[in-house]
Amino acid sequence: MLLILLRSNISRLGDQRRSFLTHIIQLIERSSDPALLHVVLAIVRGWVLDTQDMFPTIKEKAMLMSSMMSFVNGSASANENASRAGARASVAASAMPARSAGGSSDRPMGVVSSATGHVDPFALLERRYLTLVLEVYNDPRFTRSEMTMRLEQAFLSGMQSEDSEMRGLFLETFDANMPPSLPVRLNYLLETQNWDSVSSTFWLQQCLPLLFASTHQRASLRSFVSSRLAGNAAAAADRPAVGGGPGAVRSGVASSADMDVDVDGDYKPPLNGSGPHTISQPCVGESRRGDDALDSGLPDPFSSDARANGPSIFSSSARAWDARTQVTVGDVVGPLARMVLLDTRFAYRTWTLLLPLLWQNLGSKERHDLTSGLTRLLAKPYHQSQTSLRPNVIQAILDALSVCVPPPRLPPQLLRYLGQTYGAWYSALTLLEQKILDRREVELAIFDRAMGVELGAFDALTELYT
């Protein structure tokens, strides 16, 4: 009641305002009463969103908002409050019977019900706080203000929230405030963005959806099967016919070595587990019609017309296939962006496959800028919190860089240190061996020795092997 009375009279407190706010911060950090914390959050929300009053100042509002990071489960400040952690554990334990009973709920993920049917107050408190953080970042009045700078840790924690809906809202806000260019976005995520507050997590999971979002979501995708059909037919048109006479067939259309698509459904794997995939071949001059062609209404690829006009009939089949599917890029990368947030190992594998593809499509200047940013990122001291994690961010980055063509030019001693400290032995060895095979790198190593500086890949590789 006292807090509510003083809420609207804070501008009249004068010198006592600082003491009043200090006591509120102590309540936020130490109290384990969810009802009291909900009241405090409502009061702070009114102060933050009301920009007409001079008090509290923007600095004091930012101080209050940053202290509420203790509301977020798993944060460092939340783990320091033992009494609140115990209260959350008791609420979670009471909710287990309700979840095991199979009861359904329309509440958002993370706001679970207890055995008595009540909402988890701490999960609801966290959700309301993260909602307020989103409101601050989406409000143009706070753009590039001290408020957003102090809430960066809370924003990154929101991107890793267990609530899938809340996590998606944070990622959408981040994506809306980033340039659409893929090279610029990649440099921002790996160089400019500070991941110190979430350094103990596999934060590449949050980078992947932001990279997927830079694609053209409405661009259409041509199916793999139709591409192969059209491509094989075009190649068959350029080959000579087998034999002579009117019954001859083209080697590209009837050859099982050139077509590994199971058009008729008669595919049988090789007995020895090796060799090209084959399909049953029609006899010369035989008109064969597959069940798929009958059901779908597509042109029969084994008719007499197909033998005479192979490329055209297969091209029309490909066009008909594409017209029926209507698959866009968003249909593929959308679910993929959600999947990488659910499993760390899947995100690790996706990153090691995606980064080499992005690297291949970058220009020389963009590769140079990205290499400089990666060197500074890999040398950050906050990665030390991931030394015991498997997989970790350093392993994922080095594994992806080890298969990039051309390989990036990273400092040899940095690679040695990363390989030894973070368990990235094989990727560090691969990158160092590539540097030795590179003539320019060998010349640089000889120059470094002549200058009395031991920075060559030979020394780093020797230390890794020993």
Side-chain angles (χ1 to χ4, degrees), residues 249-267:
V249 296
R250 294 190 179 275
S251 59
V253 175
S255 174
S256 62
D258 293 329
M259 291 187 64
D260 57 357
V261 181
D262 185 14
V263 178
D264 296 317
D266 297 332
Y267 166 74

Side-chain angles (χ1 to χ4, degrees), residues 141-160:
R141 297 174 298 178
F142 298 105
T143 303
R144 301 183 182 275
S145 64
E146 184 177 359
M147 179 74 74
T148 55
M149 293 177 59
R150 295 285 292 269
L151 291 180
E152 184 176 2
Q153 179 182 359
F155 190 90
L156 295 178
S157 299
M159 292 172 60
Q160 297 181 342

Side-chain angles (χ1 to χ4, degrees), residues 222-233 258-261 314:
R222 187 177 183 183
S223 60
F224 173 77
V225 175
S226 62
S227 301
R228 292 296 303 271
L229 287 175
N232 288 332
D258 293 329
M259 291 187 64
D260 57 357
V261 181
F314 275 99

Side-chain angles (χ1 to χ4, degrees), residues 96-104:
M96 288 300 295
R99 290 200 297 269
S100 60
S104 60

